[in-house]
Structure formats: structure tokens, C-alpha cells
Amino acid sequence: MKSKQLSKKKIWWYSLSIVVAAILLLLMWAVIRNWNIINVLNKDKLSYNFQSMDNIFPSRAIETSQPVFQFETLQKELPQTYTYKDQTLAIEDFLQRTKTNGLLVLKDDKIVKEFYQNGVNEQTRFTSWSVAKSFISALVGIAIDEGFIKNVNDPITHYVPELKGSGYDGVPIKDILRMASGVSFDEDYDATFSDINMMMYKTFLFDKSVNDYALGLQSQRPSGTFQHYISIDTQVLGMLISKVTGNPPSQYLQEKIWGPLGMESDAYWSTDRLGTELSFMGLNATIRDYAKFGSLYLHEGNWNGKQIISKKWVQESTQIEKPQPNHDPKGVLGYQYQWWEADPADGSYSAIGVYGQFIYVNPKAKVVIVKTSADPDYGRDDYHDENFAVFQSIANHFSK
């Protein structure tokens, strides 16, 4: 009898060990398979990773079409200095300190400065991080222009019913555009179990749709009452675009912006393993093509006589509405529809991505500046203020 009991125990432990070993192997395979994604923000590899995202994430192509538009080039020198916090500082030092890989300045739709370093050039496609959010805003505006969306005050669930029962149930599209959805979401990249990290873990380790994470989120407060910057809001706007147009954001971008503007190069949008765009971060393009997008906004949605985005939407999405919802006191910049206020004195505004990505538009000076960096020091409190001081100095310099 004892022999039989021992035999059963051995079988049980043997079976358990097989199950545990299988689970460990699956976890190891998931980690190995996603190793590049896990290490995408490795500080020693930022510069390389930011120009090689198609080797890290799956992606969807955004193809250019004929005719291609090229800006006239009149290479001039940047100003040597800028003023910040009552100090006169060297712009060259700033570019090196902020790990800038590329800088392009448009003045009156002419390239007056184009600068590259660290082995990149005008054909390098740089990731945008949250600069992509401003492209999503443009696509929402075009969808409204085309009648796919009636009004920004409509609840998102009128168009995306799968969000019913989540924190987005009944939330107006406008509140999502302004990052005032009221949805509870932790954006702390440095916290292992924050929502932003858990969303990426679940998406890539378990081959889930990135959109699925939004379905389980709940409200933290009533929408429209507090401005809290969370990337899941932009992901939900990507869901909206797909639902109302019948095309994913990358395809809609190709059809409505990439082709009409005569972009010089193909771009790509990073996706999950199911082919769904990471709408909050995944656009990758050349600096020249980012500059064309900035120029489109500089001209209030008009491109060579054709209205690509309505003037009303460009103004509504970039001019800060007063009063704004209450917001985190650390968020010193005004925020409208996925665009940041740069300087209320001259009406300048900017798309901003972490680690130093910018598309800065100064309508008064008729200047557009694109800056792409791989700066691990981006998190300091005055980071954006100093960048805008540099951009203002450059705009003033070329407006003399």
C-alpha cells in the first residue's frame, strides 16, 4: 500500500514539475521575444533605438505618393546664444547637452537650417513618442470635417460602443482630447506596475490588443473637471478614428495627410502584435516630413491652396480654451487638443514627445522648428521651458 502511495506522490510531483517547467519556458520565451521592447528605454541605446523602432515593435507602413513636395533650402547659421533665466547660453552647447540628433528650421516655408549628427541624416526616420498625439488630433479634426464625427461634445461611446461600462462611458470626445477624461490611469514609466507599463506588458507578453486595456479602466473623477495627462486617452482617440472611418490611423493618415502633403519618405506606425497602432506614441518619420506637418498647421490647415484640415479645427485644437480644467500644478504648460501651448504672448504651440521630440509652430514669426533628441535628462522640471527659450531665440533670429 505504501509503495502505491509513494508512486502516486512521485507521479503528482513529476506532473507538477512538468507544468512548472512549461510555464517557466513560456515566460522565458515571452521575455526573449520581447527583449528589445523591454529595453527600448535603455539609456545607453536611446539614440539607436529611437531611429530603429521597426526593429523593436511590429509596424504598419505609411506610404508616400507622387508628386513629392520639397522645401527650398537656404542654409543659414543659427544664432550663437539664447537667454534663459537671465543667463546668456550657447545654443551649440544646448544641442549637445540635450543629445540632439536632428534639428530643422523652416522660415517662410524655406529650410534655413538643417542639422544632423551622430550618424543620422535627412533620410533617417525618427520616432515621435507623444508628438504622434498631435497627428491623432489632426485625424480627429479631419474625421469631423468629413462628417464621420458630428461634434466633439458627443460621448465617445456613441461611436465606440465597446467602451460602455468602462471609465469612458458617456465621456465627451472633447474631454478626451484635452486629457480630462477623468479615467484612472498611472503614467509613471519608472513604476514597474504602473498602468502604462502594465498595458505594454499585457499587450506584448500575452499578444493582446493594446485597445483592450482601456476597456477595464474606471473613472477616478467626473470628466472635464481635472486635466490629467494620460496616454490611454490618445489610444482611445485612435479607436475612435478606426471605428468612424473604417481605416486604422496609419491608413487614414496616409490618405488624408501623407499623400496630399507630398511627403518625401515612407513612414511607419508602431503596432501591437495584432496590427493595432500604438496611437499614443508610434509614428516614425523623417524630420523633413515632420516639418511639413508643422507647416500645414502654420498655414491653418491649408496646403498649396487646398484645405487639408479645416481652419476652424486648427485654431480650436491649438488655441488654449479658457478656463482650462484644474490640473496638476507640475503641468505648467497649457494643453488643448493634444497640442501644448509654448508661449501665449506670440501664440506659439508645440507637439512634444518624451526625451526631447518637438514640432514647434510660431505663427507670428512664420517659423516651424523640428527637434529630435535622445535625452535621458528630459524629466527635469524646466526642460520644456528651456527648449522653448531656444526656439524663441531661433525664431527671433530668422525674423530680423
Side-chain angles (χ1 to χ4, degrees):
M1 180 68 78
K2 289 184 178 180
S3 176
K4 288 183 178 181
Q5 289 177 343
L6 288 173
S7 178
K8 286 182 179 180
K9 286 183 179 180
K10 286 182 180 179
I11 292 172
W12 186 86
W13 280 108
Y14 180 70
S15 300
L16 179 62
S17 64
I18 291 176
V19 171
V20 171
I23 292 172
L24 290 174
L25 285 172
L26 285 172
L27 288 173
M28 287 176 60
W29 165 241
V31 170
I32 292 170
R33 185 183 181 209
N34 293 287
W35 187 249
N36 287 339
I37 294 174
I38 293 169
N39 285 281
V40 68
L41 299 181
N42 184 315
K43 292 183 178 181
D44 295 329
K45 298 180 178 179
L46 286 183
S47 183
Y48 173 78
N49 287 347
F50 288 5
Q51 55 188 284
S52 310
M53 296 294 266
D54 52 344
N55 294 327
I56 297 173
F57 292 95
S59 62
R60 190 188 294 271
I62 302 167
E63 297 178 354
T64 190
S65 58
Q66 298 297 326
V68 169
F69 176 87
Q70 292 183 320
F71 290 114
E72 182 181 348
T73 299
L74 301 171
Q75 283 281 19
K76 298 181 180 180
E77 293 301 316
L78 292 172
Q80 293 185 348
T81 61
Y82 66 103
T83 301
Y84 183 61
K85 292 185 176 179
D86 297 324
Q87 291 183 297
T88 299
L89 304 168
I91 284 184
E92 176 62 29
D93 290 345
F94 167 81
L95 294 175
Q96 298 303 321
R97 174 165 49 85
T98 58
K99 306 295 188 295
T100 302
N101 285 325
L103 181 80
L104 187 149
V105 182
L106 284 180
K107 167 63 177 175
D108 295 325
D109 290 324
K110 296 179 176 63
I111 297 176
V112 292
K113 185 63 179 180
E114 189 173 18
F115 160 85
Y116 299 96
Q117 63 180 5
N118 301 323
V120 302
N121 56 43
E122 68 277 3
Q123 296 179 338
T124 303
R125 292 177 294 185
F126 297 96
T127 200
S128 58
W129 292 107
S130 289
V131 166
K133 292 179 169 70
S134 301
F135 283 82
I136 290 290
S137 173
L139 296 181
V140 171
I142 293 172
I144 291 173
D145 295 340
E146 294 191 325
F148 291 117
I149 301 169
K150 182 181 178 181
N151 195 297
V152 291
N153 294 310
D154 287 346
I156 186 79
T157 37
H158 179 75
Y159 302 97
V160 191
E162 53 263 46
L163 288 169
K164 289 181 178 179
S166 76
Y168 288 99
D169 197 345
V171 174
I173 296 168
K174 180 175 182 176
D175 288 343
I176 301 171
L177 283 161
R178 294 194 299 171
M179 296 288 186
S181 66
V183 168
S184 178
F185 188 88
D186 181 1
E187 187 89 357
D188 187 355
Y189 284 88
D190 293 328
T192 302
F193 298 107
S194 66
D195 283 298
I196 190 68
N197 286 325
M198 290 304 296
M199 180 174 71
M200 298 301 278
Y201 298 153
K202 289 184 177 181
T203 296
F204 288 98
L205 289 176
F206 302 107
D207 288 346
K208 299 288 187 180
S209 169
V210 66
N211 290 340
D212 287 350
Y213 201 81
L215 307 182
L217 297 174
Q218 297 302 315
S219 295
Q220 184 175 10
R221 58 179 67 89
S223 70
T225 61
F226 190 87
Q227 197 168 60
H228 177 50
Y229 186 95
I230 54 174
S231 289
I232 195 66
D233 278 357
T234 313
Q235 190 64 38
V236 166
L237 293 174
M239 295 171 68
L240 172 67
I241 291 163
S242 295
K243 201 75 173 181
V244 300
T245 69
N247 288 312
S250 58
Q251 182 64 37
Y252 200 51
L253 178 66
Q254 177 178 300
E255 178 184 344
K256 300 300 177 181
I257 293 178
W258 224 253
L261 267 58
M263 298 299 198
E264 290 187 34
S265 304
D266 291 347
Y268 62 92
W269 207 308
S270 299
T271 71
D272 62 26
R273 297 197 187 282
L274 303 180
T276 303
E277 287 88 347
L278 306 177
S279 298
F280 61 95
M281 59 159 271
L283 182 62
N284 298 264
T286 66
I287 284 184
R288 290 182 180 179
D289 288 339
Y290 285 131
K292 288 177 187 172
F293 182 68
S295 181
L296 175 67
Y297 267 75
L298 180 70
H299 294 287
E300 298 184 308
N302 191 284
W303 188 260
N304 292 332
K306 182 179 180 181
Q307 202 69 34
I308 305 298
I309 311 171
S310 67
K311 180 178 179 179
K312 177 180 181 295
W313 182 258
V314 171
Q315 292 176 343
E316 183 180 343
S317 59
T318 60
Q319 296 177 9
I320 304 301
E321 182 179 336
K322 305 293 184 180
Q324 283 207 288
N326 293 326
H327 56 84
D328 187 330
K330 293 181 180 178
V332 295
L333 300 176
Y335 194 76
Q336 191 57 10
Y337 294 173
Q338 313 280 295
W339 287 90
W340 294 94
E341 180 180 56
D343 188 344
D346 59 19
S348 58
Y349 54 91
S350 185
I352 302 177
V354 294
Y355 300 98
Q357 324 306 319
F358 295 89
I359 301 177
Y360 165 88
V361 181
N362 189 320
K364 186 176 181 180
K366 297 181 180 179
V367 165
V368 172
I369 300 173
V370 179
K371 180 177 185 284
T372 181
S373 307
D375 187 0
D377 194 32
Y378 82 97
R380 69 176 192 270
D381 290 342
D382 65 343
Y383 189 82
H384 298 130
D385 290 341
E386 184 175 12
N387 274 272
F388 289 145
V390 171
F391 297 160
Q392 184 65 63
S393 177
I394 293 172
N396 292 340
H397 174 78
F398 287 116
S399 297
K400 293 178 182 177

